[in-house]
Amino acid sequence: MPELAEVELARRRWEPALGCRITGVETHPRTRVFRNCPARTIAAALTHATLTASRSHGKRLFFSFRDPSPPRPHPPTHLEMHLGMAGRLLAVPPGHPAGRHDHLVLRTDSLALVFSDYRQFGRVVLHRAVAPWEGLPPPPLDPCFTRAHLAALLGRQSRRALKALLLDQDAFPGIGNWMADEICWRVPSHPAAPAGTIDPARLYRVTRQVCRGAMRHVADRNPPTPAAEGFTPGRYVRHVPPRTWLFQHRWRPDGSCPRCGSALARSTIASRTTAWCPACQGPVSPRA
DNA sequence: CCCCATGTTCGACA
DNA sequence: GTGTCGAACATGGG
């Protein structure tokens, strides 16, 4: 699921509970999403706390909580989540029972907030610190992600394949496999082309276009919660980018380029299945 | 049974 | 130090 727009959508799904007090916390009896942190520690930190803020940063999510009890200054509580390959955040009716793949359920009076992940590649990390998101590299839609910043990236890693660089979360936080292909296709440039051969201004424009478009089509058009009362996880709708995007064609066995109609090529580049248009982007990997 | 999957991490290796 | 690659993680779908 989750690249930056899906992650932002996940954040919005929990947003209706802003200002709500957590009345109870349930954790899956056998889960690895908390990694080394005992589930009891998570539950203890969040029970009776109030959800005060949330933010998404690339593929990371942060939820901030205010502790009720001690009036003493103490380290703030932040919950960081990563959705891995199959993680989802849902808001369901308050009494909704935890399902087989629900690893964390935060109960409030009006909603239950669920972290669900059947593959368990996701993770949930408890931070007891001030602003754990500080110092992270800027995602493409961050004001700090400037043309100069991108040009410096391309210069520093000029020999790396463009796709490998796009997938590097220290360089392009929030870009994943499908957005990387979408960006290469729009530049247009072969995914294996050395980063140093790419025009920084062009890549900057296309990267921002794809990120903004993904936000519009995926995060903005999918409502945070289903409209109907008595909703269940299955009632969530799913909007994806339109057919003018490579996204809609990349997995079809007979997929063709939405720009020129040529048959798409598919092979493994940067260790990931990659789709591209041989006519628009070149049939083989160019050399530096 | 086989293969694949919008991700990250770790160890091996050129 | 660089950069790449395969395996592992756990589960479901074709």
Side-chain angles (χ1 to χ4, degrees):
Chain A
M1 309 240 127
E3 299 181 23
L4 82 197
E6 290 268 6
V7 171
E8 170 60 14
L9 177 60
R11 185 192 72 77
R12 295 180 193 181
R13 295 221 152 118
W14 276 21
E15 207 171 30
L18 278 185
C20 293
R21 177 183 153 97
I22 308 302
T23 55
V25 176
E26 290 160 37
T27 57
H28 195 288
R30 242 186 76 254
T31 179
R32 62 187 289 277
V33 303
F34 305 124
R35 301 302 195 270
N36 292 329
C37 182
R40 286 212 330 260
T41 306
I42 306 262
L46 300 180
T47 304
H48 304 313
T50 299
L51 179 62
T52 57
S54 65
R55 60 206 299 147
S56 62
H57 184 110
K59 293 177 187 172
R60 298 172 199 243
L61 284 157
F62 294 96
F63 293 92
S64 303
F65 296 86
R66 177 168 19 86
D67 269 333
S69 26
R72 286 280 60 81
H74 60 284
T77 299
H78 306 284
L79 205 59
E80 176 180 354
M81 312 203 173
H82 194 291
L83 300 177
M85 202 83 131
R88 304 194 299 164
L89 297 191
L90 305 169
V92 296
H96 194 84
R100 184 153 85 93
H101 300 299
D102 296 345
H103 300 279
L104 178 68
V105 181
L106 306 182
R107 303 279 178 194
T108 74
D109 288 338
S110 55
L111 286 172
L113 306 177
V114 181
F115 174 92
S116 187
D117 181 6
Y118 67 85
R119 288 179 77 178
Q120 303 188 58
F121 289 177
R123 42 176 208 272
V124 178
V125 180
L126 185 67
H127 292 275
R128 298 287 209 164
V130 177
W133 49 83
E134 276 178 14
L136 296 175
L141 294 179
D142 187 296
C144 293
F145 194 96
T146 60
R147 279 175 193 76
H149 172 79
L150 176 53
L153 274 177
L154 291 177
R156 250 180 285 130
Q157 313 220 46
S158 61
R159 314 182 61 129
R160 260 181 118 177
L162 173 60
K163 171 132 180 186
L165 187 58
L166 285 166
L167 289 175
D168 185 338
Q169 297 301 294
D170 289 331
F172 294 86
I175 304 286
N177 201 32
W178 79 255
M179 289 181 79
D181 282 0
E182 195 76 39
I183 290 167
C184 292
W185 175 74
R186 283 204 207 184
V187 167
S189 184
H190 194 285
T197 65
I198 310 300
D199 173 20
R202 180 84 191 145
L203 182 60
Y204 178 81
R205 209 161 65 80
V206 166
T207 299
R208 305 253 309 181
Q209 244 176 36
V210 169
C211 291
R212 265 198 306 268
M215 285 294 190
R216 224 175 30 246
H217 293 297
V218 176
D220 296 342
R221 296 192 51 205
N222 287 291
T225 55
E229 290 302 318
F231 52 88
T232 59
R235 308 275 309 248
Y236 282 90
V237 293
R238 181 160 164 77
H239 291 290
V240 297
R243 293 211 305 222
T244 52
W245 287 45
L246 183 65
F247 179 91
Q248 291 271 6
H249 308 264
R250 46 179 286 120
W251 291 130
R252 303 182 190 282
D254 57 340
S256 57
C257 173
R259 193 168 38 213
C260 77
S262 300
L264 295 177
R266 203 176 296 122
S267 75
T268 299
I269 295 173
S271 298
R272 305 294 300 277
T273 300
T274 301
W276 76 97
C277 172
C280 299
Q281 299 168 259
V284 293
S285 38
R287 298 190 59 87

